[in-house]
Amino acid sequence: MRIIGYARVSTVGQTLEGQVAALHAAGADAVVEETGSGGNRQRPALAKLLKGMGRGDVLLVVRIDRLARSVAHLLEVIETLEGHGAGLRSLGDPVDTTTPQGKFTLQILGAVAELERALIRERTLAGLETARAAGRTGGNPKLKARDPAALRALSRARDDRFFEEINATATEWVPVIREMRPQSSWAAVARAINRAAAARPWSPDRLNRAAKRFVADGFLDDAILAPAPKAQPSDRLCAIIAGMINADPGITLKRIGATLERMRERTPSGGTAWPLSSVKMLKDRARRLGMIEV
């Protein structure tokens, strides 16, 4: 069993020394340090820490607010820990999921969170009903009027949120991009990142957007945005088609395609249905490679 401490401050100017000392004094075998907003759930150090927790391990914090800023996020972290067979203990709060009393406190927190969500829904619906009765509708009037300044402000706000999100996980995806691009496709790079560790799975389009954003700010070289080399048809497929033709010189493209589909061979682009154009392309390539004897 290990006791792993987690210490966090919001800004670079703040110090972690007090938290680290308290965690070590409480028996922490190691302390993971992080600088970042408590409202940001995408914290790389915390995500890596949670992933590495094992059965019987205990995550130790000085106070709950160092770990989560909402009951919902706290319950999410505890659920992740329980999935690994690990527990959570806070020095300054009555939260210790390794004891019956701590688990009871957790049940109370869950009930409070559910009540909080219900009250928010109720107040929101009541407010909307009152506004409609008074002839008012929700939304930003300037945005509804398509005011250019309001639209620009909204675009900047969205861009800032996107940058904060991708910057928080930059240690996960930036090294992989630097290593694989532009030799590999965005889909291949996304698969590599997702196999390693990613709190939120990357899609090729989102990864491309993130890379363009970092290139624009000078954090990445624009060479990574160059098109990846076009994938060459598999010589194995050429050999299969050449074998069919050598065995039956009169075989048609349609029959070759149907046979490949029965064999569950995928097209060069990854599809399951074989168009005649793909069959012909591979047949011509096989002939150029000298695989076809007739």
Side-chain angles (χ1 to χ4, degrees):
M1 184 189 79
R2 301 175 303 160
I3 299 178
I4 310 297
Y6 176 74
R8 181 191 63 79
V9 291
S10 299
T11 62
V12 176
Q14 296 174 313
T15 177
L16 288 159
E17 293 179 2
Q19 293 182 56
V20 172
L23 292 170
H24 278 304
D29 301 306
V31 175
V32 174
E33 302 177 14
E34 186 160 48
T35 299
S37 170
N40 180 15
R41 297 191 181 190
Q42 305 299 324
R43 283 176 259 156
L46 177 60
K48 185 176 180 180
L49 170 60
L50 293 176
K51 187 175 181 180
M53 297 293 284
R55 183 164 298 279
D57 291 347
V58 176
L59 175 59
L60 182 66
V61 293
V62 174
R63 296 189 310 277
I64 286 298
D65 66 353
R66 298 300 87 197
L67 183 64
R69 285 293 182 85
S70 68
V71 174
H73 187 205
L74 174 61
L75 294 175
E76 181 182 311
V77 170
I78 293 174
E79 183 178 355
T80 300
L81 289 170
E82 289 183 340
H84 291 282
L88 169 68
R89 183 156 63 91
S90 171
L91 299 179
D93 307 281
V95 175
D96 184 350
T97 63
T98 64
T99 66
Q101 294 88 347
K103 290 181 178 179
F104 177 69
T105 301
L106 180 60
Q107 292 176 350
I108 295 176
L109 288 174
V112 170
E114 182 59 33
L115 176 61
E116 182 182 30
R117 287 191 293 269
L119 291 175
I120 290 174
R121 286 196 299 270
E122 184 177 333
R123 287 195 297 266
T124 300
L125 292 174
L128 290 173
E129 185 63 31
T130 300
R132 281 194 293 268
R136 300 191 305 271
T137 57
N140 188 317
K142 291 186 177 180
L143 287 178
K144 286 185 175 182
R146 313 300 294 174
D147 178 75
L151 292 174
R152 286 194 296 271
L154 177 62
S155 178
R156 285 194 299 271
R158 287 176 174 171
D159 183 66
D160 288 344
R161 284 197 301 271
F162 180 64
F163 180 80
E164 289 179 4
E165 176 187 323
I166 62 177
N167 190 49
T169 58
T171 54
E172 290 181 3
W173 59 273
V174 169
V176 183
I177 281 183
R178 285 179 172 150
E179 179 182 353
M180 297 182 64
R181 287 290 303 169
Q183 295 83 5
S184 303
S185 67
W186 288 110
V189 178
R191 286 194 297 270
I193 296 172
N194 292 336
R195 278 196 302 268
R200 172 184 172 184
W202 287 89
S203 68
D205 288 342
R206 179 168 169 262
L207 189 60
N208 185 278
R209 281 182 57 215
K212 287 180 177 177
R213 184 65 172 80
F214 266 39
V215 166
D217 283 355
F219 298 136
L220 283 172
D221 193 293
D222 60 2
I224 66 163
L225 301 178
K230 189 174 181 181
Q232 294 298 316
S234 169
D235 287 347
R236 186 181 68 84
L237 290 173
C238 293
I240 293 173
I241 291 175
M244 294 183 196
I245 297 173
N246 291 332
D248 181 5
I251 191 171
T252 64
L253 296 178
K254 185 175 181 180
R255 282 181 56 201
I256 293 174
T259 303
L260 290 171
E261 289 177 7
R262 286 197 300 273
M263 295 171 63
R264 297 186 178 179
E265 292 287 348
R266 290 189 174 272
T267 66
S269 60
T272 56
W274 277 85
L276 297 183
S277 59
S278 294
V279 178
K280 185 177 186 306
M281 176 189 68
L282 291 175
K283 176 185 175 182
D284 293 343
R285 177 175 171 79
R287 193 178 297 280
R288 290 194 301 271
L289 293 172
M291 295 180 176
I292 298 177
E293 300 171 357
V294 292

